[in-house]
Amino acid sequence: MKERNKPRLQDPIERAKNFNEVNLGFDEETAVKEATRCLQCKKPFCVEGCPVGVNIPGFIERIYQRDFDGAAKILKGTNMLPAICGRVCPQEVQCESKCILGRKGESVAIGALERFVGDYSIRNAKQPSTKSVAKGKVAVVGSGPAGLTCAADCRARGLDVTIFESLHEPGGVLTYGIPEFRLPIDIVKSEIESLEKMGVKIELNVVIGKTIFIEELLATYDAVFLGSGAGLPIFLGMEGENLPGVYSANEYLTRVNLMGAYKEGAATPLVRGKVVAVVGAGNVAMDSARTALRLGAEKVMIVYRRSREEMPARREEIEHALEEGIEFLLLTNPVKILGQKHVEGMEVIKMELGDEDEKGRRRPIPIEGSNYNIECDQVIMAIGTNPNPLIVDSCPELKTGKNGVLVVDENLETSIKNVFAGGDAISGSATVIQAMGAGRRAAKSIIERLAQ
Amino acid sequence: MKKYEILKKKKLADNVHEYEIYAPLVAKNARPGQFIILRVDKEGERVPFTICGYDKKLGTIKILVQTLGYSTLKLSLKEEGDTLQDFVGPLGKPTDLSLYKNILLIGGGIGIAVIFPQASYLNSIDKKADVIIGARNRELLMYDGPLEKEAKNLYIMTDDGSYGEKGFVTAKLEELLKTKTYDVVMTVGPVMMMKAVCDITKKANIKTIISMNSIMVDGTGMCGCCRVTVDGKTKYACVDGPEFDGHKVDFLEQRERGAYYKEQEQEAYCKLTGEIHKHKENK
Ligand SMILES: Cc1cc2nc3c(=O)[nH]c(=O)nc-3n(C[C@H](O)[C@H](O)[C@H](O)COP(=O)(O)OP(=O)(O)OC[C@H]3O[C@@H](n4cnc5c(N)ncnc54)[C@H](O)[C@@H]3O)c2cc1C
Ligand SMILES: Cc1cc2nc3c(=O)[nH]c(=O)nc-3n(C[C@H](O)[C@H](O)[C@H](O)COP(=O)(O)OP(=O)(O)OC[C@H]3O[C@@H](n4cnc5c(N)ncnc54)[C@H](O)[C@@H]3O)c2cc1C
Ligand code: SF4
Ligand code: SF4
Ligand code: FES
């Protein structure tokens, strides 16, 4: 069996000093070569692994026929943002994990192929068509992947769509969270531009629940979609957590990505840590750690209470972090943050793995008396986020469940009629592709409702 | 009128300007105690300012800005007719003092900008409050004229005695407490001033509300930059506040958090003043 083709990468020593993209993707020849590895299975397991059921053999077939427009058309039938998903989907636990080739050797590089097609279609942008089938006005709250997808689908059917975004730039986590070295901002921008070309209106600097209330939206719009994400950072509530020098990953990444604090002379300040401890081991933690490194930290540590196996980050990000020199303190949990006026260190405790929890992950248990101190001058908390209660606080009729997620029915309608929701707002922090899938399902419900 | 256009700009005191900004969406739902966040230009940082007044019909918001560092200096260079890059709000929880009868408002420095809308709101519902305002000197004092009309009694304090009485606002507070009773005190100003007021009112057992001017980024509860410890629990000034029970706030922690970026801020400010200087020389 032929080996999987590798994408071009930026050199680890070089890239640890810049914010340019690490993975440079396939060139055309490599993409076609990789596409020929696909067996075009009659019963493609890979598709089962994709949360939105992308027709994987279909688009790959077009690649080796060099019909890249055709490939893009197939992809976009289920996945509006292939250039983004190809880069950020956790393929190794989704589509690629089910690929038949993976049983004996290496799976087809589905993500890298998807990215190749996505980038091709951005370079050769075609005006998407809008069909006037349904009539009505839709307000979309939030411009992350859920909101963008819902807006695009509604607009494609002829609806009048306005997106309301609280920040001064659209894109949600794609803009303020995921760093440029993983997802260049120009990719996100061009996807948003093509949406605007379709006729989707975007109102920035509008906080729904503060600037405009849901009931006001319902007075002017026929349907509302809440794609407000899960932006509320979780802290551990430990001693010292409010010392200057302790950041939530959201704050740290927002300062760098959205506010451009990595540039010389940026208006938004950032204190550049020398020794940085990042708590957590998901994508958010990897992004924070690798950002700290690029901002000149001498030493960056990931502090995680489980072992390498349980790390929830994409495999590629973990590998890239290690290559760049990030240290992993595994089976280690923070106890308190030390310091008088600002962070001077962190007390941690060693952990061991016990029985499996309800999700089948082994529960970490502290080893009594194994506490010790590590030195650091900055701590970044990347242990997760919950939905922001701001909208619900202003609209108590909206029912919520555990951790503040919005409760929806099978059509993604909330407890308020004609108000739909999807993405991280209903699931808690999940993935880009799941948020897009939800945006698409909600759009379908909205279109059906407005056709009635 | 353009979105976020500066319709009026007025100098109120040394380094303090009042701006009226066209932002009808913000004005529509604004209430006293809330704030906005603005960016001066494309490269700008997000900076918070209290809503000092609003006109729902004209669609305008009034803010009072003290020139302190980089962003406020940049803002001070904008003139009537210029537009701001971004302007979002109203943010934070509104404060409702109408439940109380005997109210004392204490404003120090730019904090006067925050208590002014409260005083005029209380006046509009026939519940005039006593007001103490203080500043280092006469040039730094603002709103004393308008407050004269809005307050039941207005007490003016300057550190150097160049206007009103000589001394701190806390001296006046202690004096008033000898003869008067209040159900509530609301105080806004530098962190250490608010702490000093709270130390006094705690002993006198008077509920005290403070407004926390934490460093902020988004202002919607997304980053946690504005964390304040209140009664041992972490609160976000932008969504849980900006007003809190002053007897429960950890002011010393807040002082340290406010100082974290001092070096960077200083550097950016010096660079900008240098550029402005050069620009003027070239002209
Ligand atoms: C640092 C980081 C790295 C990640 N890496 C990956 C990855 O590699 N792969 C992956 O699949 N997933 C990743 N994720 C998760 C993924 O980004 C999210 O699951 C996804 O963005 C959720 O999309 P969403 O549209 O539901 O919400 P969001 O992307 O969070 O967008 C919500 C938007 O709504 C706006 N909003 C919120 N409240 C209001 C309001 N009241 N009024 C108006 N607007 C409002 C917000 O400002 C925001 O723009 C990562 C997340 C982070 C933070
Ligand atoms: C809810 C809220 C309401 C506010 N209302 C007003 C207002 O009505 N009028 C007004 O003039 N200012 C107000 N502020 C303060 C204002 O946001 C800051 O003065 C401004 O951000 C300073 O920006 P700068 O870049 O010009 O100065 P910087 O260079 O950032 O700071 C200059 C100096 O001010 C200190 N400083 C920085 N941020 C703050 C802050 N948030 N509060 C107090 N001191 C700070 C710094 O430590 C430094 O010494 C408010 C702040 C908050 C959080
Ligand atoms: S959307 Fe994600 S999971 Fe689905 S095929 Fe593409 S890369 Fe794989
Ligand atoms: S399972 Fe693998 S080989 Fe089969 S169609 Fe999917 S990608 Fe191709
Ligand atoms: S300013 Fe970001 S949470 Fe308050």
Side-chain angles (χ1 to χ4, degrees):
Chain A
M1 207 182 328
K2 271 192 244 125
E3 255 183 46
R4 175 172 160 137
N5 293 284
K6 303 274 177 298
R8 299 157 296 168
L9 294 181
Q10 222 200 120
D11 175 72
I13 294 169
E14 239 356 88
R15 76 189 189 221
K17 290 179 261 168
N18 68 46
F19 278 84
N20 301 336
E21 197 171 17
V22 168
N23 185 331
L24 303 171
F26 285 151
D27 56 22
E28 189 175 316
E29 284 321 306
T30 321
V32 172
K33 222 164 91 194
E34 179 65 16
T36 56
R37 288 183 67 230
C38 171
L39 306 177
Q40 292 293 314
C41 306
K42 285 262 149 45
K43 194 167 172 293
F45 291 113
C46 54
V47 177
E48 285 167 29
C50 169
V52 297
V54 163
N55 175 0
I56 297 167
F59 93 79
I60 293 183
E61 187 181 21
R62 296 300 185 285
I63 296 180
Y64 67 67
Q65 294 167 347
R66 291 187 196 259
D67 171 13
F68 304 128
D69 285 315
K73 204 165 159 222
I74 292 178
L75 263 170
K76 292 200 172 180
T78 33
N79 173 354
M80 201 191 76
L81 307 170
I84 295 172
C85 288
R87 284 175 168 83
V88 304
C89 262
Q91 289 94 4
E92 70 277 10
V93 294
Q94 296 183 353
C95 50
E96 291 179 12
S97 74
K98 298 279 164 70
C99 170
I100 195 88
L101 290 187
R103 296 203 184 155
K104 290 228 179 71
E106 286 178 299
S107 66
V108 174
I110 303 169
L113 288 174
E114 181 167 321
R115 166 192 166 152
F116 170 78
V117 177
D119 287 355
Y120 172 89
S121 98
I122 287 177
R123 280 195 311 271
N124 303 280
K126 291 215 168 47
Q127 184 66 24
S129 63
T130 52
K131 275 188 252 130
S132 288
V133 182
K135 271 204 178 62
K137 285 176 81 177
V138 182
V140 172
V141 180
S143 60
L148 294 177
T149 309
C150 182
D153 280 12
C154 288
R155 183 67 200 131
R157 292 304 212 77
L159 293 169
D160 180 352
V161 183
T162 308
I163 299 182
F164 295 96
E165 168 58 51
S166 61
L167 292 171
H168 58 265
E169 294 280 358
V173 168
L174 306 178
T175 299
Y176 77 72
I178 303 180
E180 288 239 36
F181 55 82
R182 212 146 68 76
L183 178 62
I185 190 69
D186 286 343
I187 302 262
V188 182
K189 279 199 172 141
S190 56
E191 297 290 9
I192 291 168
E193 266 165 34
S194 77
L195 221 63
E196 287 182 298
K197 278 192 201 133
M198 282 172 78
V200 172
K201 288 163 270 184
I202 304 183
E203 293 279 345
L204 301 172
N205 297 323
V206 178
V207 185
I208 300 304
K210 289 285 178 194
T211 316
I212 303 178
F213 297 108
I214 301 254
E215 71 245 35
E216 293 176 294
L217 284 181
L218 284 171
T220 16
Y221 294 88
D222 301 299
V224 174
F225 173 74
L226 300 176
S228 46
L232 182 79
I234 299 176
F235 287 92
L236 286 172
M238 62 182 158
E239 203 181 316
E241 225 170 4
N242 290 347
L243 278 171
V246 184
Y247 286 94
S248 75
N250 265 5
E251 182 188 348
Y252 192 76
L253 293 171
T254 300
R255 280 181 184 270
V256 177
N257 299 331
L258 181 71
M259 306 309 300
Y262 66 92
K263 295 180 207 139
E264 267 319 306
T268 301
L270 187 85
V271 174
R272 298 184 177 211
K274 285 206 176 63
V275 181
V276 182
V278 179
V279 181
N283 288 321
V284 185
M286 297 303 146
D287 285 346
S288 305
R290 296 170 69 198
T291 298
L293 192 73
R294 282 161 174 75
L295 289 173
E298 287 155 15
K299 177 172 161 169
V300 182
M301 295 166 275
I302 289 274
V303 179
Y304 181 49
R305 60 191 182 138
R306 292 185 160 98
S307 66
R308 167 102 191 247
E309 241 164 81
E310 288 84 15
M311 285 189 162
R314 295 178 77 225
R315 190 173 53 209
E316 184 183 357
E317 310 318 325
I318 297 173
E319 282 164 8
H320 287 174
L322 280 169
E323 282 167 21
E324 288 165 14
I326 309 277
E327 292 174 31
F328 287 8
L329 262 61
L330 301 173
L331 290 165
T332 306
N333 209 26
V335 176
K336 75 178 181 203
I337 297 171
L338 312 166
Q340 290 297 321
K341 294 193 159 189
H342 50 80
V343 176
E344 288 165 20
M346 187 156 78
E347 182 183 325
V348 295
I349 188 164
K350 290 234 172 231
M351 311 290 279
E352 60 190 348
L353 292 179
D355 298 336
E356 286 183 0
D357 61 11
E358 53 302 341
K359 281 189 197 149
R361 282 203 304 182
R362 291 179 65 195
R363 223 184 282 272
I365 306 165
I367 304 174
E368 231 175 281
S370 65
N371 300 42
Y372 67 101
N373 295 346
I374 54 177
E375 258 178 57
C376 57
D377 59 354
Q378 251 174 17
V379 176
I380 302 172
M381 302 300 293
I383 49 171
T385 53
N386 284 327
N388 192 327
L390 192 142
I391 293 180
V392 176
D393 284 349
S394 75
C395 185
E397 304 92 88
L398 270 176
K399 281 214 188 81
T400 52
K402 202 176 158 215
N403 296 330
V405 297
L406 294 170
V407 175
V408 289
D409 65 12
E410 67 279 6
N411 298 319
L412 298 189
E413 190 163 16
T414 64
S415 50
I416 302 178
K417 190 162 185 243
N418 294 333
V419 177
F420 298 79
D424 281 3
I426 63 166
S427 60
S429 42
T431 60
V432 171
I433 188 66
Q434 275 164 314
M436 285 178 35
R440 174 145 283 178
R441 270 170 63 208
K444 195 164 162 271
S445 301
I446 291 171
I447 292 160
E448 277 166 18
R449 174 69 50 82
L450 298 190
Q452 280 168 13
Chain B
M1 266 164 298
K2 288 168 284 182
K3 206 168 159 185
Y4 317 147
E5 177 178 340
I6 300 174
L7 299 179
K8 277 191 199 141
K9 177 182 177 184
K10 195 161 81 185
K11 185 172 172 184
L12 283 194
D14 254 9
N15 280 327
V16 179
H17 288 93
E18 183 187 87
Y19 300 85
E20 248 177 76
I21 315 255
Y22 184 65
L25 271 186
V26 184
K28 195 157 138 270
N29 288 321
R31 283 191 283 161
Q34 291 188 294
F35 64 95
I36 58 92
I37 285 185
L38 62 79
R39 289 200 318 147
V40 178
D41 52 31
K42 272 207 173 77
E43 278 75 46
E45 63 179 331
R46 297 171 65 97
V47 276
F49 299 100
T50 306
I51 295 173
C52 291
Y54 43 84
D55 189 320
K56 295 185 196 249
K57 265 202 233 104
L58 296 178
T60 56
I61 293 281
K62 205 182 267 179
I63 57 169
L64 224 66
V65 179
Q66 180 174 32
T67 308
L68 268 183
Y70 180 86
S71 294
T72 48
L73 178 60
K74 264 200 163 170
L75 179 57
S76 73
L77 301 174
K78 293 278 175 190
E79 300 300 340
E80 288 177 6
D82 290 344
T83 56
L84 303 178
Q85 180 69 28
D86 296 291
F87 195 87
V88 58
L91 301 170
K93 292 212 161 83
T95 327
D96 194 359
L97 294 175
S98 64
L99 307 164
Y100 302 95
K101 258 186 28 216
N102 297 309
I103 305 164
L104 173 63
L105 306 175
I106 307 176
I110 195 70
I112 302 170
V114 183
I115 60 145
F116 179 76
Q118 294 295 347
S120 59
Y121 172 70
L122 290 169
N123 183 18
S124 75
I125 57 166
D126 281 331
K127 279 210 175 171
K128 277 194 176 183
D130 278 358
V131 177
I132 309 174
I133 58 173
R136 279 211 306 279
N137 57 46
R138 178 171 193 152
E139 279 65 46
L140 293 170
L141 206 65
M142 64 197 100
Y143 274 170
D144 43 316
L147 272 170
E148 205 69 71
K149 276 183 274 158
E150 311 281 4
K152 188 154 58 176
N153 300 290
L154 176 67
Y155 307 94
I156 300 172
M157 308 295 290
T158 48
D159 296 3
D160 63 355
S162 55
Y163 194 58
E165 285 177 56
K166 185 174 154 87
F168 296 136
V169 290
T170 42
K172 185 49 86 185
L173 169 66
E174 284 186 309
E175 184 194 316
L176 291 180
L177 288 183
K178 283 186 193 139
T179 55
K180 296 192 174 199
T181 52
Y182 295 102
D183 312 326
V184 71
V185 172
M186 178 174 167
T187 179
V188 189
V191 171
M192 294 324 277
M193 181 204 102
M194 293 193 286
K195 182 177 186 308
V197 167
C198 288
D199 289 343
I200 295 168
T201 56
K202 195 164 187 178
K203 278 198 211 111
N205 206 10
I206 305 170
K207 184 180 168 76
T208 303
I209 298 170
I210 60 105
S211 181
M212 201 33 101
N213 49 3
S214 325
I215 299 180
M216 295 186 176
V217 183
D218 61 301
T220 62
M222 183 268 265
C223 73
C225 170
C226 61
R227 316 205 276 294
V228 193
T229 303
V230 183
D231 207 12
K233 291 191 198 72
T234 296
K235 298 279 175 190
Y236 288 3
C238 68
V239 282
D240 302 320
E243 263 111 51
F244 293 105
D245 180 342
H247 295 157
K248 295 183 175 157
V249 167
D250 185 341
F251 286 105
L252 297 178
E253 171 190 280
Q254 210 48 42
R255 187 179 58 179
E256 299 309 333
R257 290 189 66 81
Y260 190 54
Y261 294 104
K262 218 157 209 156
E263 223 172 277
Q264 276 92 344
E265 280 158 355
Q266 199 74 41
E267 215 171 280
Y269 181 75
C270 291
K271 217 171 140 215
L272 183 61
T273 45
E275 275 164 27
I276 294 170
H277 201 71
K278 236 204 234 140
H279 187 70
K280 278 186 185 152
E281 271 180 358
N282 287 347
K283 273 191 179 170

